[in-house]
Amino acid sequence: MATRDEAHRLLASGREADVYLRPDGLLVKRDRAGRDPEPEAELMRYLRGRGVPVPRVADVSETGLVMEYVPGPRMSQELDARPWRAGALGRELAELHRRLDDVPPPGFLGGGRDGGLVHLDLHPGNVVLGPEGAVVVDWASAACGDRRVDVAMSWLAIAVAPLRPLKRLARARFLRGFLSGADAGVRRAMPTAAAIRLARHQRDEAEVDAVRRLVADCADWSD
């Protein structure tokens, strides 16, 4: 008799959760620390009701968050496979941020009463390019906060990711597209974004140095 994990196919493994494809075609996200999946499910239902592209929640159980499977590559995979699309993909990620600008944060969301809805992990690895357009996944870190910090965190995640030399040009084009409509407030938010990123997990020395360089560069641009 197959065990639960043998019956499901592992699709992705992040720092805190694993995502499986069930035999019935639905996804199940399991938090390895055993955190309650209901808050993330509640937020995803709220977002779908306001037109934000997120997977449909099917169920919440002791085993995790069960949701719609959206077929398609992650934006990060598309960037890797088709680097000539880098600028367009960057603009697409910026458009997803603009859509969040228009969504009031729900009352049940943590992070304080002031500000907007922030994903806090909206990078190309958390965007699925589905048949009907881009879909944002992994809302476990979402809160109420400064939308400029959310944009700065996306910038930071992209900028400090280790890449082979041939991929650096694509990253530069992606960031130009992503930041084409950003204002100086995003640069001023970079120290806060950096503090959040460095506090979340243990980071290696190379990443810490890259984060500090970007913070310093943003300070120079803002002067």
Side-chain angles (χ1 to χ4, degrees):
M1 183 176 185
T3 66
R4 182 181 66 190
D5 287 347
E6 287 172 343
H8 297 5
R9 179 161 62 93
L10 181 65
L11 287 188
S13 246
R15 288 182 180 269
E16 299 176 344
D18 300 310
V19 178
Y20 295 86
L21 181 63
R22 298 196 327 189
D24 61 3
L26 294 173
L27 292 185
V28 57
K29 177 183 177 181
R30 297 189 188 131
D31 188 282
R32 288 194 292 275
R35 291 180 298 183
D36 182 7
E38 180 56 43
E40 184 176 5
E42 186 177 8
L43 176 60
M44 290 172 66
R45 295 187 193 104
Y46 173 87
L47 293 170
R48 273 187 70 87
R50 283 150 185 82
V52 178
V54 300
R56 177 183 58 82
V57 174
D59 190 22
V60 180
S61 68
E62 294 179 359
T63 62
L65 171 59
V66 182
M67 71 190 94
E68 166 192 19
Y69 169 57
V70 179
R74 300 289 175 123
M75 183 179 282
S76 55
Q77 295 171 322
E78 181 73 2
L79 179 60
D80 191 55
R82 297 175 175 82
W84 59 87
R85 295 198 62 217
L89 292 171
R91 291 188 293 274
E92 189 165 8
L93 185 63
E95 177 58 28
L96 290 171
H97 270 287
R98 283 190 287 272
R99 293 183 71 168
L100 293 184
D101 289 342
D102 298 329
V103 179
F108 58 79
L109 199 60
R113 296 183 179 181
D114 298 326
L117 174 66
V118 292
H119 182 285
L120 296 179
D121 206 16
L122 184 45
H123 55 72
N126 278 334
V127 178
V128 179
L129 301 178
E132 298 181 6
V135 176
V136 182
V137 300
D138 195 0
W139 291 88
S141 299
C144 180
D146 188 338
R147 288 287 313 131
R148 293 168 298 183
V149 170
D150 206 27
V151 175
M153 288 200 70
S154 295
W155 179 4
L156 185 58
I158 299 157
V160 305
L163 292 177
R164 298 188 303 275
L166 291 178
K167 300 296 183 181
R168 291 174 186 164
L169 179 59
R171 173 165 63 187
R173 289 173 175 167
F174 185 99
L175 284 171
R176 280 200 297 272
F178 177 64
L179 296 170
S180 59
D183 60 23
V186 174
R187 297 188 185 95
R188 289 193 290 270
M190 186 57 74
T192 301
I196 294 171
R197 183 176 179 86
L198 293 179
R200 277 184 172 172
H201 303 287
Q202 187 68 33
R203 306 292 181 175
D204 61 40
E205 186 175 345
E207 179 173 341
V208 172
D209 288 344
V211 169
R212 289 173 176 166
R213 285 195 301 271
L214 183 53
V215 170
D217 289 344
C218 286
D220 290 341
W221 292 336
S222 297
D223 290 342

